[in-house]
Amino acid sequence: ATGGAPTLSPARASALRAEWGARILARVDRRHRYPRGTRASGRALVELVLARDGRLLSARLVRSAGDPRLDDAALAAVRRAGRFPPAPEGLGAPRYSFTLPLRFEWKG
């Protein structure tokens, strides 16, 4: 016997990761605000690297929304989100990366 935790199938691991990613995106979306001083619209892509316990290890802009104020607002939403939910049971890597789309629409 090898002992240790049972391994997940790739499909189950992918499903758990997708569920966790949806919870992370929902948390960031709740802190997502349109910035003052611009009337631009766009979609930023932000990459987050999280520890299994939900700590934010890094965040970076992968694709600009086309306006520096929108890009800054996307990263600010991530910072405002605070601690993220921990990885679901069964995901054992020390860190995970997620790429989140954040849309900004001017509704003037």
Side-chain angles (χ1 to χ4, degrees):
T2 59
T7 58
L8 297 176
S9 71
R12 182 65 182 139
S14 180
L16 284 174
R17 198 161 183 261
E19 290 168 17
W20 188 27
R23 291 174 47 213
I24 291 164
L25 178 58
R27 186 169 182 92
V28 172
D29 270 344
R30 286 192 299 271
R31 276 97 181 152
H32 180 223
R33 307 281 180 268
Y34 189 89
R36 295 176 192 219
T38 186
R39 292 183 176 181
S41 294
R43 180 176 169 252
L45 285 180
V46 178
E47 180 189 49
L48 312 180
V49 178
L50 299 180
R52 286 186 68 247
D53 66 2
R55 282 179 297 124
L56 178 66
L57 300 175
S58 67
R60 72 182 182 94
L61 193 64
V62 176
R63 185 170 39 200
S64 173
D67 182 294
R69 289 163 290 212
L70 299 182
D71 297 342
D72 290 345
L75 290 169
V78 170
R79 288 190 298 272
R80 279 193 304 270
R83 190 151 188 129
F84 292 93
E89 194 66 37
L91 295 181
R95 62 184 56 177
Y96 289 88
S97 173
F98 298 90
T99 301
L100 307 180
L102 296 173
R103 181 169 298 286
F104 296 90
E105 292 190 35
W106 171 247
K107 296 177 182 168

